[in-house]
């Protein structure tokens, strides 16, 4: 179905709830609804199987307007439908749609604690990102937030012993050898079987979304690149694409190709890193050491090309600032050939090693229906047979010229997730070769004005972990009015926490690693 | 009282028991770490790393958690190490004849070796940290899994020699490489030893990605160092036992070194190519395959013996 017909379908589905609709961009439909119309509207989209909920953005229109908006973004291929619920700035309330779409749980908690919107009927309304000693009634993403008002308050220590009763809870994190990253999980176990799972984030929340509002468009680029230490390039691409759409500038084809090339190298880096971590969680340290040794090859390539190993800083608004010379191209070809050969070897290991398969085959299997229900993204969805890849569904940048084919598997278990990610390495290697062979000549960048015209835009790109979603709003000034970042890890938690229940405790670390969680992305 | 009366004391305190044995144990531990590291494409530690670890730990403060039984907490590492050191007296360490022997000492040796695992389990239970508790449960579960097949595997050579005394088994089977006639027993014994030492793939009781350090999570300083030493001693004693029973006995220090190091290389190989087993998989492996295969080996041997008579 074309984007146009998808949007018309959505418009007719939402006609009864609609209080006015607009088409801000060719692939977008904005429908204003009352908060009472939210549940019927979401049900209508869900029952018609119109796309999936990709993000929930909170938007403060300012003290004068007195309005906070909750934007529910649904995607189907390239089409994006946004349900705009207008709420009073103080005391606004929306019903929870957790019963319809479980993945919304984390987004609703974020909306509630960042904007003070009451979400009625949330199954878990405890804090997700804000610290426990954050004062009640202070909402950091509101425009009139005063940092002075956020003085830590005294919180009573958590009750000891008696309140947990007979349950035996294994705490993992924020400091734990299994989890080098700051998240906290509580697994209730009965012997070796997990019977309940909870998690808490926010230990390193940096408030980047708020900080971006105080910086100009160019400074924000560098800040947003630092959301993640692994997929930093993807973040800057998502932001650049959005700003370039708002400024209506056309990026030269050579710059677009170089962006895809670096995204490819970054994907290889990310997947090899993940392979090592996952093998370590399974207790197969040899694979961990080997894959991380090989990962150095791609790190060196990125360093050769950009000068940096982690935040490559390749993008500028309107293009890129590094060029791929013939010499670099040759180095990349050599490196890719070696990595492809190694990846074939690793694929062979993870699909044939009997001992390793005991830990992955059939473990944590998620059917296609479950995956759709939990709204998972990226390799996790593709391992369950859902073709969910922005590069294919809604190609952006150079992906129209150098398309990639999505890799899917059917089993949905841990083994399938290994297979999908490793096969993606081959696809990526081939794409990089094609780009190097057909690198378009021309300029590297065009000029982008310092003030970006007023407007709202959505940019979606495929990060190594799944769809990365940016909502960018400009009021015509030299600073963004709002940048919403929804990272793929945040979507996938819900499914994994559900799957952990009933599993052996020994399988939990591998199950968590199987979704490739990025805590840095969660705690923007 | 004559001067020679001191010799048993020297045997126990310095050579080949006691200090010397601990030194050899740490050296073997280093070799194991180094071999695994090289197989994993890493550089690995320098030769004195295990010694440095023990010295450092002994010099550090030992933190005794508030809710533990302090006597058990302090005493259990001693019991474990003592068990391993005592076991060493009944095996032909360094190719020397065992320091002590009596009929049936093979069984005693095996149970002295298990004392370390039992102490570990009790220590984990005593500290009552959640990770320790799960680690202790797993350590004891694993003990019940490998103990019987391991024992059965070591009784194979005893059957051949018609004696349950280590020194007699060694002297009667001298020159007979039982690995050829009882290959299954040898494999089960070697893998059983890996289970006993909680080496990968049998490291579920101390799986760092799930339960930190298992039963020893709350241990620090002296207690940790003693458990560590106990493991190192058990490594040497276990290797000596398997080499003496299955690899044609140990007659001199050179033979000892070659045979035990050969076994260590095989173990390092297993450690680096195998994935950690879940505890249920470990139990399944031992009872479904280990025990049955050893029994099969016994049946074959008995039938063959009966036919040849």
């Amino acid at each position: 179905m074309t984007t146009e017909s998808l949007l018309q379908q959505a418009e007719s589905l939402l006609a009864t709830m609609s209080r006015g609709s607009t088409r801000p961009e060719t692939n977008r439909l904005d429908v204003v609804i009352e908060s009472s119309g939210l549940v019927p509207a979401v049900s209508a989209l869900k029952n018609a199987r119109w796309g999936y909920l990709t993000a929930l953005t909170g938007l403060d229109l300012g003290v004068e307007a007195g309005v906070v908006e909750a934007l529910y973004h649904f995607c189907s291929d390239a089409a994006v439908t946004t349900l705009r619920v207008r709420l009073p700035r103080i005391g606004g309330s929306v019903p929870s749609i957790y019963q319809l779409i479980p993945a919304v749980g984390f987004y609703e908690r974020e909306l509630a604690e960042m904007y003070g919107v009451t979400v009625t009927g949330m199954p878990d309304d405890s804090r997700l990102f804000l610290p426990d000693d954050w004062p009640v009634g202070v909402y950091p993403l509101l425009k009139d937030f005063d940092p002075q008002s956020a003085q830590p308050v005294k919180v009573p220590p958590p009750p000891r012993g008696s309140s947990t009763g007979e349950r035996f809870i294994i705490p993992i994190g924020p400091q734990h050898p299994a989890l080098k990253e700051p998240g906290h999980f509580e697994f209730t176990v009965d012997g070796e079987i997990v019977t309940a799972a909870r998690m808490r984030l926010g230990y390193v929340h940096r408030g980047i979304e708020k900080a971006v509002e105080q910086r100009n468009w160019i400074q924000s680029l560098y800040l947003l690149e630092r959301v993640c230490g692994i997929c930093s390039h993807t973040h800057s691409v998502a932001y650049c694409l959005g700003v370039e759409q708002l400024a209506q500038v056309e990026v030269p084809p050579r710059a677009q190709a170089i962006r895809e090339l670096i995204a490819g190298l970054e994907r290889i880096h990310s997947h090899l890193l993940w392979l090592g971590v996952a093998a370590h969680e399974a207790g197969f340290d040899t694979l961990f050491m080997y894959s991380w040794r090989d990962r150095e090859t791609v790190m060196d390539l990125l360093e050769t090309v950009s000068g940096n190993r982690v935040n490559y800083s390749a993008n500028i608004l309107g293009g890129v600032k590094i060029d791929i010379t013939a010499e670099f191209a040759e180095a990349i070809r050599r490196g890719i050939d070696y990595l492809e050969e190694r990846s074939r070897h690793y694929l062979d290991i993870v699909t044939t090693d009997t001992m390793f398969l005991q830990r992955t085959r059939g473990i944590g299997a998620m059917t296609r229906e479950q995956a759709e229900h939990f709204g998972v993204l990226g390799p996790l969805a593709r391992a369950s047979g859902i073709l969910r890849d922005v590069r294919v569904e809604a190609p952006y940048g150079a992906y129209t010229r150098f398309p990639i084919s999505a890799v899917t598997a059917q089993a949905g278990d841990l083994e399938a997730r290994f297979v999908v990610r490793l096969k993606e390495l081959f696809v990526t290697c081939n794409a990089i070769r094609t780009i190097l062979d057909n690198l378009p000549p021309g300029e590297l960048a065009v000029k982008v004005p310092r003030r970006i015209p007023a407007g709202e835009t959505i940019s979606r790109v495929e990060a190594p972990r799944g769809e990365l979603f940016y909502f960018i709003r400009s009021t015509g000034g030299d600073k963004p009015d709002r940048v919403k970042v929804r990272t793929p890890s945040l979507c996938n938690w819900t499914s994994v926490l559900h799957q952990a229940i009933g599993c052996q405790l020994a399988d939990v670390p591998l199950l968590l690693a199987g979704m490739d969680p990025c805590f840095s992305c969660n705690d923007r | 009282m004559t001067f020679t009366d001191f010799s048993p004391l020297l045997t126990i305190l310095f050579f080949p028991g006691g200090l010397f044995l601990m030194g050899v144990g740490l050296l073997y531990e280093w070799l194991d770490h180094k071999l695994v590291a090289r197989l994993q494409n890493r550089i690995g530690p320098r030769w004195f790393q295990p010694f440095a670890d023990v010295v450092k730990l002994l010099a550090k403060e030992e933190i005794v958690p508030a809710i533990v039984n302090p006597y058990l907490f302090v005493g259990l590492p001693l019991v474990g190490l003592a068990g391993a050191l005592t076991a060493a007296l009944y095996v032909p360490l360094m190719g020397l004849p065992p320091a002590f022997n009596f009929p049936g000492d093979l069984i005693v040796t095996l149970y002295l070796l298990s004392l370390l695992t039992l102490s570990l389990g009790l220590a984990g239970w005593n500290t009552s940290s959640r990770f320790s508790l799960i680690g202790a449960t797993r350590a004891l579960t694993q003990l019940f899994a490998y103990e019987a097949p391991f024992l059965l595997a070591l009784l194979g050579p005893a059957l051949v020699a018609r004696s349950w005394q280590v020194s007699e088994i060694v002297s009667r089977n001298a020159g007979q490489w039982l690995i050829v006639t009882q290959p299954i027993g040898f494999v089960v014994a070697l893998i059983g030893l890996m289970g006993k030492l909680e080496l990968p793939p049998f490291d579920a009781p101390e799986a760092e990605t799930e339960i930190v350090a298992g039963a020893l999570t709350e241990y620090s300083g002296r207690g940790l160092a003693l458990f560590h030493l106990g493991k190192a001693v058990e490594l040497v004693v276990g290797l000596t036992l398997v080499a003496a029973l299955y690899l044609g006995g140990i007659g001199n220090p050179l033979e000892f070194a070659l045979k035990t190091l050969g076994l260590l290389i095989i173990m390092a190989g297993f450690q680096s190519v195998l994935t950690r087993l879940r505890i249920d998989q470990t139990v399944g492996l031992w009872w479904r395959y280990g025990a049955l295969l050893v029994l099969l080996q016994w049946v074959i041997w008995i039938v063959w013996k009966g036919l040849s008579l």
Side-chain angles (χ1 to χ4, degrees):
Chain A
M1 231 192 290
T2 63
T3 305
E4 189 53 40
S5 55
L6 277 168
L7 291 176
Q8 278 167 8
Q9 190 198 357
E11 198 160 9
S12 63
L13 282 169
L14 298 168
T16 51
M17 284 72 83
S18 171
R19 295 287 173 274
S21 64
T22 50
R23 293 285 296 275
E25 285 172 300
T26 50
N27 66 330
R28 282 174 55 207
L29 168 72
D30 274 13
V31 181
V32 178
I33 55 170
E34 306 274 338
S35 70
S36 59
L38 181 64
V39 174
V42 173
S43 321
L45 288 176
K46 192 185 176 210
N47 294 340
R49 299 178 81 86
W50 198 95
Y52 59 98
L53 178 78
T54 185
L56 167 50
T57 305
L59 189 61
D60 181 9
L61 296 183
V63 182
E64 299 88 59
V67 171
V68 164
E69 284 188 304
L71 313 180
Y72 294 75
H73 307 283
F74 286 81
C75 290
S76 182
D77 292 339
V80 182
T81 298
T82 301
L83 306 179
R84 301 187 84 109
V85 186
R86 291 173 169 258
L87 301 162
R89 246 174 130 255
I90 293 156
S93 156
V94 287
S96 170
I97 55 168
Y98 180 83
Q99 297 305 330
L100 295 166
I101 299 171
V104 84
F106 288 126
Y107 312 156
E108 285 178 343
R109 282 162 79 181
E110 191 180 1
L111 180 75
E113 65 187 9
M114 297 295 182
Y115 283 93
V117 173
T118 313
V119 184
T120 48
M122 267 197 292
D124 182 357
D125 59 357
S126 57
R127 287 218 169 124
L128 179 65
F129 289 118
L130 292 181
D132 290 334
D133 61 0
W134 188 271
V136 178
V138 177
Y139 304 109
L141 277 182
L142 289 180
K143 290 287 178 199
D144 58 348
F145 164 71
D146 173 16
Q148 290 304 316
S149 64
Q151 300 301 331
V153 292
K154 269 226 169 304
V155 274
R160 298 179 66 160
S162 59
S163 74
T164 55
E166 295 297 303
R167 294 179 302 151
F168 193 81
I169 295 175
I170 301 285
I172 294 186
Q175 287 98 29
H176 187 280
L179 197 68
K180 282 84 187 170
E181 298 189 82
H184 175 70
F185 299 88
E186 284 176 1
F187 293 105
T188 311
V189 293
D190 177 12
E192 289 269 333
I193 307 290
V194 176
T195 54
R198 264 194 93 240
M199 75 176 255
R200 169 86 159 90
L201 291 170
Y203 292 93
V204 288
H205 198 278
R206 294 155 290 170
I208 287 182
E209 285 179 12
K210 184 76 181 174
V212 160
E213 293 171 11
Q214 267 93 60
R215 281 159 178 79
N216 67 35
W217 290 97
I218 294 168
Q219 289 170 323
S220 297
L221 169 65
Y222 296 95
L223 190 58
L224 287 164
E225 188 164 5
R226 277 149 183 82
V227 167
C228 181
I230 300 173
C231 48
S232 54
H233 178 73
T234 328
H235 277 274
S236 68
V237 168
Y239 175 72
C240 287
L241 283 176
V243 176
E244 285 151 10
Q245 265 166 47
L246 281 176
Q248 300 195 326
V249 295
E250 185 66 31
V251 177
R254 188 174 178 88
Q256 290 184 352
I258 290 175
R259 279 180 182 174
E260 182 180 338
L261 179 82
I262 293 183
L265 290 174
E266 185 180 70
R267 180 172 300 264
I268 295 175
H269 157 205
S270 174
H271 282 2
L272 282 175
L273 178 129
W274 171 82
L275 177 68
V277 172
H280 174 62
E281 301 290 357
F284 193 10
D285 279 354
T286 309
L287 183 56
F288 167 39
M289 299 295 166
Y290 273 69
S291 57
W292 276 39
R293 177 197 66 187
D294 293 338
R295 175 177 152 262
E296 282 302 309
T297 312
V298 70
M299 301 285 280
D300 287 345
L301 285 181
L302 284 164
E303 192 182 357
T304 312
V305 171
S306 72
N308 298 311
R309 279 163 65 88
V310 179
N311 292 313
Y312 324 115
S313 193
N315 287 317
I316 50 176
L317 293 177
V320 292
K321 66 178 170 206
I322 56 168
D323 198 6
I324 303 293
T325 61
E327 193 187 333
F328 287 168
E330 195 42 47
I332 294 174
R333 278 201 191 90
R334 270 200 311 274
I336 296 286
D337 287 345
Y338 171 72
L339 287 172
E340 192 170 23
E341 185 197 321
R342 296 302 303 171
S343 311
R344 286 201 192 285
H345 178 55
Y346 297 140
L347 182 64
D348 193 38
I349 290 175
V350 301
T351 51
T352 55
D353 186 282
T354 323
M355 295 279 276
F356 194 65
L357 284 176
Q358 280 194 15
R359 301 298 307 276
T360 58
R361 186 166 282 174
I363 307 282
M366 183 159 58
T367 61
R368 197 192 156 100
E369 286 70 35
Q370 283 173 317
E372 274 176 357
H373 179 63
F374 289 123
V376 298
L377 298 173
L380 216 58
R382 296 197 282 275
S384 291
I386 305 175
L387 201 165
R388 189 152 290 170
D389 188 330
V390 185
R391 294 171 298 168
V392 178
E393 288 177 296
Y396 52 91
Y399 287 101
T400 44
R401 183 160 175 186
F402 303 106
I404 60 117
S405 53
V407 180
T408 54
Q410 299 303 322
D413 57 359
L414 285 170
E415 188 198 358
R417 292 172 202 171
F418 276 93
V419 171
V420 163
R421 287 197 176 92
L422 282 167
K423 283 191 176 162
E424 267 183 29
L425 291 180
F426 309 144
V427 172
T428 311
C429 287
N430 285 334
I432 289 176
R433 282 195 200 100
T434 319
I435 295 172
L436 287 176
D437 292 342
N438 306 293
L439 201 59
E443 289 297 309
L444 287 179
V446 290
K447 226 175 146 42
V448 172
R450 201 168 64 84
R451 291 175 191 280
I452 302 295
E456 287 174 1
T457 193
I458 282 170
S459 76
R460 298 154 64 210
V461 302
E462 187 74 12
R465 288 163 184 73
E467 178 197 331
L468 175 65
F469 174 96
Y470 267 61
F471 171 87
I472 302 170
R473 182 171 196 265
S474 169
T475 45
D478 58 356
K479 293 173 183 163
D481 181 58
R482 171 86 170 107
V483 176
K484 161 78 189 174
V485 183
R486 200 275 296 129
T487 56
S489 296
L490 202 60
C491 287
N492 291 342
W493 280 122
T494 318
S495 72
V496 172
L497 290 180
H498 273 85
Q499 278 182 299
I501 295 167
C503 272
Q504 298 246 1
L505 180 64
D507 286 331
V508 167
L510 192 53
L511 203 60
L512 290 182
M515 66 164 267
D516 199 0
C518 176
F519 290 81
S520 171
C521 280
N522 287 329
D523 289 353
R524 292 156 326 272
Chain B
M1 194 187 255
T2 59
F3 187 70
T4 49
D5 280 344
F6 288 107
S7 70
L9 211 58
L10 286 177
T11 307
I12 292 168
L13 282 181
F14 298 109
F15 184 85
L19 279 180
F20 178 77
L21 180 56
M22 291 184 207
V24 174
L26 292 177
L27 205 61
Y28 271 57
E29 190 196 311
W30 167 73
L31 262 172
D32 180 60
H33 287 184
K34 184 80 181 173
L35 281 169
V36 172
R38 292 311 296 154
L39 286 170
Q40 290 184 345
N41 222 293
R42 288 185 287 124
I43 290 172
R46 285 175 291 177
W47 69 270
F48 54 83
Q49 189 64 52
F51 297 90
D53 285 346
V54 168
V55 170
K56 182 198 74 175
L57 282 176
L58 286 174
K60 279 199 163 183
E61 183 194 1
E62 184 174 31
I63 298 164
V64 183
I67 51 168
V68 305
N69 178 334
Y71 300 108
L72 273 180
F73 189 84
V74 173
L76 283 169
L78 285 174
V79 175
L81 178 60
L85 284 173
T86 317
L89 298 176
Y90 301 101
V91 297
L93 267 187
M94 299 302 294
L96 304 172
F100 298 100
N101 63 75
F102 57 86
D105 58 8
L106 177 60
I107 305 290
V108 173
T109 312
L110 289 175
Y111 279 95
L112 283 172
L113 284 180
S114 298
L115 210 54
L116 182 65
T117 317
L118 280 174
S119 310
L120 204 80
L122 271 178
W125 166 77
N126 183 36
T127 46
S128 70
S129 131
R130 299 158 209 226
F131 303 122
S132 305
L133 271 176
I134 292 206
T137 319
R138 286 187 183 176
L140 294 177
T141 312
Q142 186 152 309
L143 177 74
F144 287 113
Y146 65 71
E147 195 67 15
F150 183 59
L151 185 70
L152 292 176
L154 289 187
L155 288 185
L159 273 184
V160 176
R162 295 170 182 274
S163 165
W164 280 15
Q165 190 169 354
V166 178
S167 55
E168 275 196 30
I169 301 172
V170 173
S171 60
R172 285 191 198 169
N173 292 353
Q176 278 191 55
W177 284 61
L178 288 182
I179 180 175
V180 181
T181 49
Q182 303 197 354
I184 303 175
F186 169 73
V187 171
V188 172
L190 190 65
I191 297 181
L193 183 62
M194 293 178 72
K196 228 175 172 39
L197 295 164
E198 295 178 359
L199 294 174
F202 303 110
D203 56 345
E206 48 187 70
E208 61 153 14
T209 53
E210 299 148 37
I211 49 171
V212 193
L216 295 184
T217 305
E218 297 298 327
Y219 269 88
S220 55
R222 190 198 58 100
L224 189 60
L226 293 184
F227 270 124
H228 196 91
L229 275 174
K231 276 268 171 71
V233 170
E234 197 173 288
L235 174 66
V236 179
V237 174
L239 284 175
T240 312
L241 206 57
V242 175
L245 296 186
Y246 274 101
L247 298 184
I250 292 178
N252 54 53
L254 183 67
E255 228 179 309
F256 167 83
L258 287 178
K259 285 175 180 174
T260 48
L261 290 183
L263 290 179
L264 194 65
I265 291 172
I266 301 176
M267 274 171 39
F270 277 137
Q271 283 177 58
S272 33
V273 299
L274 298 177
T275 311
R276 183 191 306 129
L277 289 164
R278 282 198 319 247
I279 193 71
D280 58 315
Q281 290 169 341
T282 307
V283 175
L285 178 78
W286 284 114
W287 284 108
R288 249 180 257 150
Y289 302 103
L292 289 183
L293 283 173
V294 174
L295 285 176
L296 182 72
Q297 168 106 58
W298 277 37
V299 170
I300 294 171
W301 188 81
I302 290 167
V303 169
W304 180 77
K305 204 74 189 164
L307 287 178
S308 63
L309 274 177

